[in-house]
Structures are given as structure tokens and as C-alpha cells.
Amino acid sequence: MLAIAAAVLFFISFLINAADIDTNDVFSSTNIMLLGLTVLALHLAGIGAARTSRHRS
């Protein structure tokens, strides 16, 4: 799930950069790209992964 969120953030960053949209400093394409990298790192670290527990019966 976090990988999908990272992909969406990268796509938004690409659109802002490609369309040359003027945004304020908080929502610049670089900041959104860094958020995407953070989410991707969390995904690779295993945070947010579906964890299943096996119960013995």
C-alpha cells in the first residue's frame, strides 16, 4: 500500500515539474519527491505491510 502512495507522490511531483506549475515552497516538486522517497523507504523497511498471524488450533 505504501508503494502505491509513493508512486502517486512521484507522479504528482513529475506533473508539477513537467507542467512548470508555480507552487509555494511547501508543495514544490522536490519536497513532494522527498515525501515519496520517505514513503518508499518505509515500504522497503516493512512498515505498513500486511501481517498475518497463524493460530494453531
Side-chain angles (χ1 to χ4, degrees):
M1 188 67 183
L2 286 175
I4 295 171
V8 168
L9 287 172
F10 286 138
F11 183 70
I12 290 171
S13 174
F14 170 75
L15 286 180
I16 289 173
N17 193 19
D20 203 22
I21 297 172
D22 190 25
T23 60
N24 60 9
D25 292 334
V26 176
F27 294 110
S28 67
S29 64
T30 304
N31 287 344
I32 295 176
M33 181 186 62
L34 289 174
L35 284 173
L37 285 173
T38 303
V39 172
L40 186 61
L42 288 173
H43 170 71
L44 291 175
I47 307 296
R51 298 180 192 266
T52 59
S53 60
R54 296 182 183 179
H55 296 287
R56 288 188 168 184
S57 55

